Amino acid sequence: MKLARTKFASIARSTALVTAVALIPATTAGFAQVDGRVGPEFAKLFATYQQIKANYVEEVDDETLIRGAIDGMLASLDPHSGYLDGSDLQRLETMIDGNYSGLGLSVIMDDGAVKIISPFRGSPADKAGIKAGDYITHLDGELIYGGDLDEAVSRMRGPAGTSIRLTVFRSGRDEPFDVTVTRGVIELEPVTHSLADGNIGVIAVNEFSRDVGSDVFKAWQAIRKEATGRVNGLVLDLRSNPGGSLDEAVALSDLFLEEGRIVSQRGRARGETIYYDSESVFRGAIASDLPVVVLIDAGSASASEIVAGALQDHRRAVIMGQQSFGKGSVQTLLALGRDSALKLTTARYYTPAGKSVQEGGITPDIKVPQLSDPDYEKRAKFQLRESDLRGHLVNELALEDKALEADKLDDPRFQLTSAELKEQGVEDFQLHYALETLRRTKTSTVARRD
C-alpha cells in the first residue's frame, strides 16, 4: 500500500514473518570474538557514546544509548530484524501460543504512522471494521504520529472490557474517522471451518500459531462428518494470514502432500540450510481425490506463502486471489540473556521448485480481485507488500517492477461493482468465485494440472 509512491521507512514488527520458535543462546565467547578489522568502527561508536554522555544538552542514561545503538544496527539490516525485550518478547511468545489480548492487529510503523497489515479475523478490531492498509493517527484523541511503535502497541493493549478510540485514515476517504474498539483477552481461532452448498468444505487458517496442522486435520474430519454424502471440493483460505511458525507451515503442507519437498531454507551460517520434506509430520494426505482451491491476497505472508507455494509447485491445488505479500525470509530468536533476544533474519526460504518468493510473492493461477469490497479499487493503489518496505532483502532474480504490478491490471471478466454483488447476496466475491469454480469442476479432474 504505497502512499504517493513513497517507500516505507520503519521496522516491520508485525507477525508477517516465519519465526523459528527455539531460542538459540549467543555465548559470551561469541561476543568476544570480534574481527580486528572493525576496531576503528567500534572506536567511532565509543567516541560517539562519550561525546553524547559529556555534551548532550540533557543527561542520558546508558540503557537509552545502548538500546538506541542496537536498534540502529538492526534497522540497517532489513525490516524484520529487531531487538526484543520485556513486553516485546512476551508479545512474540503469545503470538506463537495463539493467545492474544487487546485489539487483534498486525501493524508496522510507516514513516512515522502506525499502519495496519491486517486485523486478525474474529478479533475486536476486525469486528469493528478495521481494514488492512488503514492508518491509525490518534489514540483517544492524542496524536501518535512520529512516536514509537512499541509505545503505540502498548497503549492499544489493556484490560478486557475497556475501550479505546482510534482515529483512522483510510485510502479513498477524504476525512479521517473515529472507531471505538472494546479490548478483549481472547484466544483467536487460528482455524475455522464451514460447509458450503454443494458439499464444498471451507477451511480458513487465520494465523500459524501452535498446532495449526492438527487443527486443520480436525476441521477436515468435521467437514466430512457434516457433509450429506461425498465432499466435492475444498477451499483453503489463507487470505490476510500474516504468518507465524515455520514448523506449522510445514505441517499444514504435509497434510496435503504424500511425497516431495515442501520448502527449503538457505542461510549463510552453518546449520541454517535446512530441507523440509513431506511425510515428515503427517502420513498420507487429506482430500487426495478432491479439487482444492487455495485463496491468497496481499495480506498472505511468509508461512502462508510457504503453504501456497508448496501446493502450487506440486500441482496439488489451484491458487486463486491476488499476489501475496512476498516475505521470503526466516527469522531466528537469538537469546541475549534471560529476558532479551535478537530477532535476526538468518535465511531465505524457497518453494519446492526452487523459487524465492522474496519481493515477488506467490502469483495466483487465477487472479480474482475482491470486488465485494467497496473501497477495493482505491485501496489497491496503496497496497503494501514486502517490496515496499525500506531495507527489504532483494530477490536474487532481480524482479522487475512491472512483474510486481501485473496483478493490478484490469480483467474484463471482473467488472461487477460491490453494490451489484450486494444485490446478488455476494458478500465475499473471492470466496464466492472459488466455490462456484469448484461446483463446476468434476471430481474426476481433481485440482491436479498436467
Side-chain angles (χ1 to χ4, degrees):
M1 301 164 188
K2 293 173 276 190
L3 186 58
R5 292 288 179 183
T6 60
K7 295 294 182 181
F8 298 92
S10 300
I11 296 176
R13 297 185 185 181
S14 71
T15 55
L17 49 85
V18 173
T19 303
V21 180
L23 283 171
I24 303 175
T27 64
T28 303
F31 286 126
Q33 294 174 358
V34 178
D35 192 326
R37 290 173 297 179
V38 301
E41 301 304 320
F42 270 96
K44 291 180 185 178
L45 180 63
F46 186 65
T48 302
Y49 164 81
Q50 289 180 312
Q51 292 293 342
I52 294 173
K53 292 290 286 185
N55 299 310
Y56 188 65
V57 65
E58 295 179 353
E59 186 175 349
V60 185
D61 62 84
D62 288 345
E63 182 179 354
T64 298
L65 290 176
I66 298 302
R67 176 63 186 267
I70 293 173
D71 286 343
M73 282 190 285
L74 292 166
S76 70
L77 301 178
D78 72 282
H80 305 294
S81 294
Y83 175 77
L84 303 176
D85 64 357
S87 59
D88 295 336
L89 193 57
Q90 185 179 14
R91 278 198 293 273
L92 183 59
E93 291 169 349
T94 57
M95 181 198 79
I96 297 300
D97 288 336
N99 298 312
Y100 295 82
S101 62
L103 306 183
L105 290 171
S106 171
V107 298
I108 64 169
M109 186 68 83
D110 168 17
D111 286 339
V114 175
K115 184 174 219 177
I116 297 170
I117 293 290
S118 65
F120 289 104
R121 278 181 281 193
S123 67
D126 182 43
K127 293 176 181 177
I130 301 297
K131 295 180 179 290
D134 287 347
Y135 290 87
I136 300 175
T137 62
H138 297 71
L139 296 177
D140 284 331
E142 183 177 340
L143 181 69
I144 59 171
Y145 177 81
D148 181 73
L149 179 63
D150 293 332
E151 181 181 351
V153 170
S154 178
R155 288 183 58 184
M156 285 188 278
R157 291 177 177 268
T162 61
S163 298
I164 186 169
R165 188 173 82 255
L166 311 180
T167 301
V168 176
F169 173 80
R170 179 171 296 166
S171 300
R173 296 201 182 186
D174 296 331
E175 297 290 336
F177 57 94
D178 289 344
V179 178
T180 298
V181 185
T182 301
R183 299 181 180 94
V185 177
I186 56 176
E187 182 173 340
L188 290 178
E189 292 184 276
V191 177
T192 59
H193 75 275
S194 60
L195 186 66
D197 292 344
N199 272 0
I200 306 293
V202 179
I203 299 178
V205 182
N206 306 314
E207 56 175 342
F208 282 86
S209 56
R210 187 168 288 129
D211 297 327
V212 160
S214 297
D215 290 343
V216 169
F217 180 67
K218 293 175 183 176
W220 167 244
Q221 290 179 314
I223 287 172
R224 293 178 65 188
K225 291 181 180 178
E226 294 169 14
T228 54
R230 179 185 176 85
V231 179
N232 293 317
L234 180 65
V235 176
L236 182 63
D237 190 351
L238 302 180
R239 292 174 299 171
S240 297
N241 183 325
S245 169
L246 171 61
D247 290 340
E248 291 305 322
V250 171
L252 176 52
S253 302
D254 199 7
L255 275 175
F256 292 89
L257 299 173
E258 294 182 281
E259 60 182 6
R261 177 131 309 145
I262 292 174
V263 67
S264 61
Q265 70 174 60
R266 307 170 200 173
R268 183 170 64 90
R270 180 183 300 176
E272 286 298 338
T273 297
I274 305 173
Y275 300 94
Y276 300 88
D277 295 325
S278 56
E279 297 293 286
S280 60
V281 183
F282 295 101
R283 295 294 180 184
I286 66 172
S288 59
D289 58 344
L290 298 181
V292 177
V293 169
V294 176
L295 284 176
I296 60 172
D297 62 12
S300 304
S302 58
S304 298
E305 293 171 300
I306 286 176
V307 175
L311 300 190
Q312 184 179 54
D313 283 359
H314 283 287
R315 301 183 177 183
R316 181 61 192 91
V318 171
I319 312 301
M320 190 177 292
Q322 296 166 286
Q323 196 90 6
S324 64
F325 186 80
K327 182 183 177 298
S329 60
V330 179
Q331 282 68 49
T332 302
L333 289 179
L334 304 170
L336 299 179
R338 297 173 59 184
D339 57 358
S340 62
L342 292 181
K343 177 164 64 74
L344 195 65
T345 299
T346 55
R348 301 173 189 260
Y349 70 77
Y350 297 81
T351 70
K355 175 188 174 185
S356 170
V357 303
Q358 181 64 21
E359 287 193 280
I362 300 295
T363 301
D365 301 304
I366 303 175
K367 296 178 181 179
V368 181
Q370 184 58 301
L371 298 181
S372 50
D373 180 358
D375 298 320
Y376 164 72
E377 289 188 359
K378 294 177 181 178
R379 293 200 302 121
K381 298 178 182 178
F382 305 100
Q383 216 148 40
L384 174 70
R385 289 194 172 96
E386 176 78 7
S387 57
D388 298 313
L389 300 176
R390 183 176 297 170
H392 66 271
L393 295 178
V394 176
N395 190 298
E396 303 96 315
L397 299 179
L399 297 174
E400 298 181 6
D401 288 342
K402 63 181 180 180
L404 305 180
E405 301 292 331
D407 63 313
K408 296 181 181 180
L409 299 178
D410 290 335
D411 189 319
R413 295 176 298 173
F414 305 121
Q415 299 298 321
L416 290 175
T417 66
S418 60
E420 291 171 335
L421 289 170
K422 188 174 182 180
E423 289 180 1
Q424 297 177 16
V426 177
E427 297 182 356
D428 184 340
F429 179 72
Q430 290 175 326
L431 178 58
H432 170 79
Y433 193 89
L435 293 172
E436 287 298 304
T437 299
L438 288 173
R439 291 179 185 125
R440 294 192 300 266
T441 302
K442 294 181 180 180
T443 304
S444 59
T445 65
V446 194
R448 303 179 190 271
R449 295 157 293 153
D450 297 325

